[in-house]
Amino acid sequence: MDDELNALRRTRMRWNTPLSEPHADLLLDRMALDAGRLVDLGCGWGELLLRAAARAPGLRATGVDTDVTGLDRGRAVAASRGLAVDFAESDAATWDVPAERVFCIGAAHIFGSTTAALEAIAGVVRPSGRLLYGDGFWAAAPGPAAREIFGPDLLTLPDLLDAVAGAGWRVLHFSTADQLEWDDFESTSRAAWAEWLVAHPADPRAGEIREWLDRRLRQYVRDYRGVLGFTYLVLGR
Ligand SMILES: C[S@@+](CC[C@H](N)C(=O)[O-])C[C@H]1O[C@@H](n2cnc3c(N)ncnc32)[C@H](O)[C@@H]1O
């Protein structure tokens, strides 16, 4: 896919996770943001990080990601809102600057697995600090197609909570994405390309885009809607 369409792809997404505005506000409330360092490991374009920085101007906020397109979007939004948020192009798996508050949402794969992420991030969160951890789980028994898409490492919710406890974390807040959050996430992840396709049906790239959009919607509805869940945990230790 060319750079123009790649840059367009996620532009209709608020953030890259199934999360409504009120649910995001609730999570930020539960993070008790104040002063000190906040780091977002696998931040994407860092919309939640930017909102945290806007709420708590005393925070030193840093987003860490390897995707330059996302980082550039985050920097541009930070500048437009007058927010002093750093966006670092770096491997989050090796990030070792301790912080009072840490986000890791939809990014456990950076560390290899849920268990590995929970253990590694324990080394980044300062004592009495908090982690906002978002991760997928099997909400219902997956069929072969869902297993093929999401791999062998996803846990059930009880097993995920066992992994949390096993890594020494205490759950301060627990919630899961609801169906509307999922449907909106999937819709917005397709929207920019779907709108482009409607406007450019004869473009030489249209066939590839149409195939991707149709496959993604088919997979969602047939293979993982209601099967893949997503949980948000505020954790302390
Ligand atoms: C599902 S997205 C979640 C983004 C963001 N947390 C959010 O909620 O919008 C996962 C992110 O992990 C990033 N990522 C993948 N490997 C990485 C690595 N080794 N270090 C840092 N970020 C990485 C991807 O570029 C992507 O932005």
Side-chain angles (χ1 to χ4, degrees):
M1 196 51 58
D2 64 27
D3 290 349
E4 180 202 350
L5 284 174
N6 263 333
L8 180 68
R9 163 128 139 71
R10 295 193 172 90
T11 51
R12 292 290 306 274
M13 304 178 83
R14 190 187 301 117
W15 28 60
N16 195 356
T17 189
L19 182 65
S20 66
E21 301 262 1
H23 195 170
D25 285 341
L26 174 70
L27 297 175
L28 294 180
D29 287 348
R30 298 289 157 86
M31 282 296 279
L33 302 165
D34 185 10
R37 274 188 192 279
L38 165 64
V39 64
D40 187 347
L41 301 172
C43 64
W45 53 93
E47 178 61 29
L48 196 64
L49 177 73
L50 291 161
R51 293 188 188 202
R55 275 183 173 224
L59 280 173
R60 277 189 292 164
T62 304
V64 181
D65 206 289
T66 48
D67 176 45
V68 176
T69 304
L71 292 167
D72 284 347
R73 175 173 167 182
R75 289 182 189 118
V77 175
S80 73
R81 295 182 195 167
L83 295 169
V85 174
D86 287 332
F87 284 90
E89 183 184 350
S90 182
D91 180 2
T94 60
W95 189 263
D96 60 1
V97 182
E100 284 72 20
R101 298 288 183 269
V102 176
F103 295 169
C104 180
I105 299 173
H109 57 280
I110 294 172
F111 302 89
S113 68
T114 295
T115 303
L118 289 163
E119 286 172 358
I121 299 168
V124 179
V125 179
R126 282 192 189 280
S128 305
R130 291 189 186 196
L131 165 64
L132 172 56
Y133 183 75
D135 204 352
F137 65 90
W138 293 129
R147 273 193 199 282
E148 173 77 23
I149 297 167
F150 297 105
D153 294 329
L154 270 196
L155 303 175
T156 63
L157 195 48
D159 287 346
L160 195 156
L161 290 171
D162 283 350
V164 165
W169 296 101
R170 179 140 295 281
V171 177
L172 303 173
H173 167 84
F174 161 86
S175 50
T176 59
D178 67 18
Q179 199 60 72
L180 180 57
E181 288 175 298
W182 266 110
D183 290 348
D184 188 51
F185 171 62
E186 288 290 331
S187 296
T188 56
S189 76
R190 298 172 64 262
W193 276 4
E195 287 163 6
W196 178 89
L197 186 59
V198 168
H200 303 87
D203 190 283
R205 299 163 293 181
E208 199 181 342
I209 296 291
R210 188 178 299 111
E211 200 273 328
W212 185 91
L213 287 168
D214 291 350
R215 186 177 65 245
R216 172 98 182 217
L217 184 57
R218 200 168 50 242
Q219 285 178 328
Y220 178 51
V221 172
R222 287 185 187 212
D223 300 330
Y224 64 91
R225 186 173 187 269
V227 172
L228 183 66
F230 202 90
T231 188
Y232 297 95
L233 304 170
V234 174
L235 303 175
R237 22 190 326 113

